[in-house]
Amino acid sequence: MARITDANLMFSGGEPKFSTELTKVEMMKTLNWYSQNKTSKDAEKWAQDYFKKKLKVDVGDALKNDRDFVLKAVSQNGAALQFASDALKNDREIVLVAVSQSGYALEYGSDTLKNDRDVALAAIKSNCDAIIVIPSKLMNDKCFILKAIEFGEAVSVLAYASNELKNDKEIVLKAVKQNAR
């Protein structure tokens, strides 16, 4: 298999360079580089065009459905979840790894997993600002909000809680107590 001709370019701001064939690891590094340095649409389009036109490899479905590849990718960059197939976006382990690496990756998970308390709490634990991508169903769940206050910045959690829960005495007291720490 051919290798990236200068792997250091990926981390110094330059575009990765390739010869003819890529290993899965090299493809993953390229997708990660592009997801960090370009918009997600640009990254996905570039990767597919590059691999298809220049390398004569169709990576669209092959990599999106490769569980091991996606698991490795999201462990390095949670946002790589956006490139996974719908089936893998519904894989609890993959989404948990992604949100543990980057809380914002929750937005790329399936609707089922976005509404999973444990997955959403892992996102908040990773990055309390991920509260903005938590579905309203959970933001109206008293048990979820009480737990989220423990993991996240209490003021942010309270700010995004439903109006009903913002007026709940137990939640407000817990948020005040947590914020005082």
Side-chain angles (χ1 to χ4, degrees), residues 64-124:
K64 288 181 178 191
N65 290 307
D66 186 323
R67 188 178 191 284
D68 292 335
F69 174 79
V70 171
L71 190 57
K72 287 176 187 172
V74 298
S75 70
Q76 292 180 20
N77 179 350
L81 183 61
Q82 66 191 299
F83 302 116
S85 67
D86 289 342
L88 293 179
K89 288 178 182 179
N90 196 40
D91 182 307
R92 195 168 196 275
E93 180 186 6
I94 287 175
V95 176
L96 273 170
V97 169
V99 300
S100 295
Q101 201 286 324
S102 171
Y104 288 109
L106 182 65
E107 71 180 297
Y108 304 117
S110 69
D111 288 341
T112 301
L113 292 177
K114 285 179 189 176
N115 285 290
D116 180 297
R117 280 185 187 170
D118 294 332
V119 174
L121 286 170
I124 293 170

Side-chain angles (χ1 to χ4, degrees), residues 8-168:
N8 292 328
L9 287 176
M10 282 189 292
F11 304 106
S12 65
E15 224 175 85
K17 306 271 187 246
F18 302 97
S19 51
T20 55
E21 292 182 15
L22 297 173
T23 65
K24 287 181 179 181
V25 171
E26 291 162 343
M27 288 182 196
M28 179 176 64
K29 287 179 181 177
T30 303
L31 290 173
N32 282 334
W33 183 88
Y34 268 86
S35 68
Q36 292 171 9
N37 293 285
K38 308 279 185 187
T39 67
S40 60
K41 275 189 174 179
D42 289 344
E44 186 170 14
K45 183 181 179 333
W46 175 89
Q48 288 179 351
D49 287 350
Y50 190 87
F51 296 136
K52 192 178 263 185
K53 291 176 185 172
K54 292 189 178 182
L55 304 176
K56 311 290 189 255
V57 176
D58 187 0
V59 296
D61 292 335
L63 291 180
K64 288 181 178 191
N65 290 307
D66 186 323
R67 188 178 191 284
D68 292 335
F69 174 79
V70 171
L71 190 57
K72 287 176 187 172
V74 298
S75 70
Q76 292 180 20
N77 179 350
L81 183 61
Q82 66 191 299
F83 302 116
S85 67
D86 289 342
L88 293 179
K89 288 178 182 179
N90 196 40
D91 182 307
R92 195 168 196 275
E93 180 186 6
I94 287 175
V95 176
L96 273 170
V97 169
V99 300
S100 295
Q101 201 286 324
S102 171
Y104 288 109
L106 182 65
E107 71 180 297
Y108 304 117
S110 69
D111 288 341
T112 301
L113 292 177
K114 285 179 189 176
N115 285 290
D116 180 297
R117 280 185 187 170
D118 294 332
V119 174
L121 286 170
I124 293 170
K125 193 172 186 179
S126 169
N127 182 343
C128 66
D129 290 335
I131 195 77
I132 65 173
V133 296
I134 304 293
S136 59
K137 176 184 172 188
L138 289 176
M139 297 310 292
N140 196 35
D141 179 328
K142 183 174 181 174
C143 293
F144 175 80
I145 294 297
L146 287 168
K147 200 69 166 158
I149 287 170
E150 291 176 23
F151 292 136
E153 190 176 312
V155 174
S156 294
V157 173
L158 197 54
Y160 285 94
S162 68
N163 287 334
E164 179 184 336
L165 296 180
K166 286 178 185 176
N167 293 313
D168 183 285

